Each structure stands twice: as structure tokens, then as C-alpha cells.
Amino acid sequence: MATTLASSLLKTHHHHHNSIPLSLLLLPSHCPLSRSNRSSPSISLHPHFSSRLLKLSTSSPFSTKSSPTIASSQPSDATPKEEVPARVGFLGLGIMGSPMAQNLIKAGCDVTVWNRTKSKCDHLIGLGAKYKASPAEVASSCDVTFAMLADPESAVDVACGRIGAASGMSLGKGYVDISTVDGATSKLISEHIRATGALFLEAPVSGSKKPAEDGQLIFLTAGDKSLYERVTPFLDIMGKSRFYLGDVGNGASMKLVVNMIMGSMMASFSEGILLSEKVGLDPNVLIEVVSQGAISSPMFSTKGPSMVQSAYPTAFLLKHQQKDLRLALGLAETVSQSIPIAAAANELYKVAKSHNLGDQDFSAVIEALRSKLVQSENH
């Protein structure tokens, strides 16, 4: 099998913990290796990239029933000599993709970008990124390509379409899909990528705009373990932790469960804010009370004050939250699991979308309840 051959070719070389595993660098074919000793070149990276690069996972593969692999940090006194950044592609530069790609660039990575709207690439090109005119060209010119698309349809088109990334993939390359999609979509993309001899990893993230900017995302990965091991340095630049969950589809399922809980929490929080106002309480005090107890949540503390002011700084689009609830309902249907709270929340987000709030932050779902209150008072 091509995948087996690729995995064999890309097997990680184990070194002393103070040296950099060569395979983790995804060295490009054109890298300037020492003429005297090509098997163990001296390598130097941007200081930030060098420190993040050494966050390695040392656990072994496990079944989907096992506990997930969580990244840990290891200090290093390695003093590499020669700069050899890997070639990294990044497809999709929206609210999440742009800061993620920017963190890779700032860490010293050799990044090539693509986005449907080219103007969204300009800022990153100014920071040193290269640009290619299609996903296929990015994938062809890079060792590993990340993709952060808005929905399943976009993810499939960018990976498998006429000028999709799969057209530029080949033996030894890697494709990491960070998009939030359903398991069936992830498996479809995986099949197209693996058919080229390349490796595939799904890696949806938990976190929104600010964590993306701060490199504090949580990666929920599944797929080729060897590719996971190769890209951990990049995941550690963009995130604060990572989980390896086994077979393709498990990462997608975990992300949908997480976002299902988040969407339901925000709907309930919105009800609480409005009810406190309605009975004459100060909703800002409610937020403070909630922050002191067992149901304290960074989401409540961060978004609550602006919600009281009817302001919704965009971090995660409402239409994407509703999409994830819809996908979670579909996931639950496949195993005949009842999720009535999420189903009710989904209806509320659909109302919010009908009020043209889809492109606002998902905390704007409170406006769906406000409009319902106004309607009931007018009857």
C-alpha cells in the first residue's frame, strides 16, 4: 500500500533528547546540508521556532479506546548552526487561519499561503509568506499543508476539487485539515489524499480568534500517527495542547461534541442574562456571581459584559456555531443518541440566523431571545 510505504519512509529517527529529530523538520529536498556529513547536519532555526520545535510527543500509538496523547515540553540546550526551515502550506485565511499562519511565519517557518480572496493573503505576504494561485500549487511546493476552511463543502472542494490540494500531493507529503467537519467528510478527504501516497491528519481546533492569535489552541487530531509526530512542532507553535485520538473521524467527532456543549452553554447563558434583567437584577452582577462558582467559564466572563451592552466582537461566527450544532445532531443520529438540549439550542441559532445575525459572533444568539421577548410583549 502507498500509505504504508509513505509511513515507512517518514518514520521518525530517534536521537538524544538534546538533538533535533531530523524527520520532525520535514526537510525540503533543496535544504543546504553539510557536504561532509549529510546524515546529521547542523541546523539552526528562528529562536522562537527552535524552542517550540522541541516540544515532542514520546508516547506510542494506541487504540481509540486509550487515553489521548497530550503534548509536553522538554527544555533543550541544542545549539544548531544552519537555518533549514521546512516548507509549510496554509490554505484558508479567515478569522482563525490568518493568525495561525502568522504565528508560523513569526516562528521562522517557510510558509506558502492561498485563499479564495487573495487580498486576505497580502498581510501575510508582507510578513514573508510566499503565495500560490491554487491549493494544488501550494501542496505541490510544500512538505506539509494545513487547511482551515469554513465548512464541509469548502473543505472538500479545497482538498479534492479540480485544482484542489490532492492534485499537488505525492508520496511523502502531508495534509493536515484543521477545519471543523463531520467524520464522513474527513474520511472522504483522507481517502483522496492517501490515494496520492501522501499522509493525512485531521486536526480540528478548540478555541476561537484570541486563542488563535495567542497560539493557545487545542488540537484534536486523528489519522496517520507518523504525520502527527512530524507536525507536532507546528501544532505547538499554534496551540497550547494536542490530543491524538486514533482513526480518522475521531478528531471530527470530538470537536463536534465540544462545540455542541459550547453552543448549548451560550444559549443557556443568554437566557440567564435576559431573565436577570427582566426580574430587575443587574446582569453584570450575575456574570460576577457565575464567575465565582462551579459553573465559572472563561467564555461567560469574556463575552458576558459585551453581551449586556448588545455588542458582539466577532471571535466565532454564529453561522458556524449553528453549522456545528447541525453536524452534532447528525452525529448523534448515527448512534441513536438523544441530545434534546443541543436540539433546542440549534433552533435558537436558526432563529438568530433568520434575523441576519449569522456573520456576527455566536454570542449574538441572545438577540434571538430579545426579539422573541419583544414579539411576546407586543401581542
Side-chain angles (χ1 to χ4, degrees):
M1 291 288 289
T3 303
T4 303
L5 177 58
S7 299
S8 174
L9 289 171
L10 299 168
K11 190 172 292 182
T12 303
H13 297 280
H14 296 290
H15 297 274
H16 187 272
H17 78 277
N18 281 340
S19 66
I20 300 176
L22 191 60
S23 62
L24 281 171
L25 291 173
L26 302 175
L27 292 178
S29 57
H30 63 268
C31 66
L33 301 183
S34 166
R35 297 290 179 188
S36 60
N37 186 3
R38 283 186 173 268
S39 63
S40 56
S42 296
I43 299 162
S44 177
L45 298 168
H46 186 284
H48 176 69
F49 187 37
S50 181
S51 63
R52 301 296 298 267
L53 188 63
L54 293 166
K55 289 184 177 181
L56 308 179
S57 171
T58 57
S59 57
S60 59
F62 48 82
S63 71
T64 57
K65 300 293 185 183
S66 304
S67 299
T69 300
I70 305 176
S72 59
S73 300
Q74 282 191 10
S76 173
D77 58 2
T79 55
K81 304 279 166 94
E82 193 176 11
E83 180 150 338
V84 188
R87 297 171 300 185
V88 183
F90 210 103
L91 311 174
L93 302 171
I95 290 175
M96 299 291 289
S98 182
M100 293 172 77
Q102 181 170 313
N103 283 337
L104 290 173
I105 295 166
K106 288 183 174 179
C109 301
D110 180 355
V111 179
T112 301
V113 298
W114 171 88
N115 192 73
R116 275 199 177 94
T117 305
K118 184 181 182 295
S119 60
K120 290 189 177 182
C121 300
D122 293 343
H123 171 64
L124 297 174
I125 294 170
L127 292 175
K130 300 182 181 72
Y131 169 79
K132 294 291 184 182
S134 71
E137 292 175 64
V138 172
S140 177
S141 66
C142 294
D143 302 296
V144 62
T145 300
F146 291 89
M148 176 55 116
L149 290 314
D151 50 47
E153 294 74 24
S154 298
V156 170
D157 185 47
V158 168
C160 313
R162 186 177 58 82
I163 56 172
S167 301
M169 303 301 290
S170 58
L171 185 68
K173 292 183 181 294
Y175 190 78
V176 184
D177 197 343
I178 319 170
S179 316
T180 297
V181 300
D182 56 287
T185 296
S186 195
K187 289 172 184 175
L188 174 65
I189 294 172
S190 173
E191 289 170 2
H192 278 80
I193 297 299
R194 286 171 164 168
T196 69
L199 302 178
F200 176 81
L201 190 74
E202 62 174 356
V205 296
S206 181
S208 55
K209 182 181 178 182
K210 187 69 164 58
E213 292 171 344
D214 297 342
Q216 294 292 300
L217 296 168
I218 301 165
F219 286 90
L220 308 171
T221 76
D224 287 306
K225 185 69 183 288
S226 60
L227 180 57
Y228 168 74
E229 291 169 343
R230 290 171 60 200
V231 301
T232 52
F234 307 116
L235 302 183
D236 289 344
I237 288 168
M238 298 183 284
K240 66 178 180 180
S241 61
R242 46 185 158 79
F243 295 80
Y244 179 75
L245 303 169
D247 296 335
V248 171
N250 289 345
S253 294
M254 180 68 82
K255 176 61 190 295
L256 292 179
V257 171
V258 169
N259 277 20
M260 176 195 78
I261 296 170
M262 181 173 72
S264 299
M265 284 174 63
M266 179 55 76
S268 182
F269 186 50
S270 298
E271 290 180 333
I273 288 175
L274 292 181
L275 181 58
S276 68
E277 290 178 342
K278 197 74 171 173
V279 299
L281 298 173
D282 183 344
N284 288 299
V285 176
L286 167 69
I287 294 165
E288 189 174 347
V289 172
V290 167
S291 72
Q292 299 295 318
I295 61 169
S296 172
S297 163
M299 182 176 75
F300 295 159
S301 300
T302 301
K303 294 186 178 291
S306 58
M307 291 170 68
V308 172
Q309 300 299 319
S310 298
Y312 314 103
T314 305
F316 180 49
L317 295 182
L318 187 146
K319 65 184 179 183
H320 293 164
Q321 175 62 81
Q322 193 275 317
K323 176 261 297 183
D324 292 346
L325 282 166
R326 172 175 59 80
L327 293 176
L329 286 165
L331 177 64
E333 184 68 23
T334 65
V335 290
S336 300
Q337 171 65 45
S338 177
I339 50 172
I341 306 302
N346 183 51
E347 292 303 313
L348 191 62
Y349 284 94
K350 284 162 63 178
V351 170
K353 279 180 63 180
S354 73
H355 284 69
N356 298 315
L357 297 169
D359 289 322
Q360 293 200 41
D361 186 76
F362 78 113
S363 55
V365 70
I366 193 173
E367 291 295 333
L369 292 166
R370 282 201 173 105
S371 65
K372 282 188 172 184
L373 289 174
V374 170
Q375 290 170 7
S376 65
E377 287 170 355
N378 290 338
H379 280 60

